[in-house]
Amino acid sequence: MKPRSLLRPAACYVLFAAVVTWPLVLHPFSRLASPQGPGDSYLNLWILGWDLRTLSSHPAALLTGRIFDANIFYPAVGTLAYSDHLILQAIALLPLYLATHDLTLCYNVLLFGSLVASALTMHLFVREVIGSEAGAFAAGLIW
């Protein structure tokens, strides 16, 4: 499998992600992907914000476990573990956050990148299992 063979499907998945999240690509600094109502976007935005702020201001909290002592449900400890903690995602986004300090942009990059990465992973999986490039492409789009 050559990495170049994934360029065309990856480009199509980027385009498709832009279509399904439209007009998010036009306003990545000011809009969230929730088309209506509060949804999970605000919870995940807060969790990501807690992680990024903690990692940027107190990086040792990751090693000591203090990153889980979020400021929600104070004075309870370990409250970040009550939901998805998004720590690995925050680590991946930390350079972008340090460069921009824009939480909304980081959240949208994570969402958009997750859509593309998931489609590409499904593409690779189906291509490996059934050996069909067309089937793999369809599976990536459906995912």
Side-chain angles (χ1 to χ4, degrees), residues 27-81:
H27 309 283
F29 295 93
S30 60
R31 291 201 177 168
L32 296 178
S34 293
Q36 57 187 332
D40 286 338
S41 297
Y42 295 108
L43 173 63
N44 288 323
L45 188 67
W46 175 82
I47 292 169
L48 192 61
W50 172 264
D51 291 344
L52 289 169
R53 188 186 66 78
T54 304
L55 288 172
S56 63
S57 61
H58 306 289
L62 184 62
L63 300 175
T64 64
R66 300 279 312 198
I67 194 167
F68 284 96
D69 294 337
N71 61 358
I72 194 167
F73 303 126
Y74 182 82
V77 295
T79 56
L80 189 63

Side-chain angles (χ1 to χ4, degrees), residues 92-104:
L93 288 169
L94 189 58
L96 178 62
Y97 180 74
L98 291 174
T100 65
H101 289 285
D102 192 316
L103 182 57
T104 304

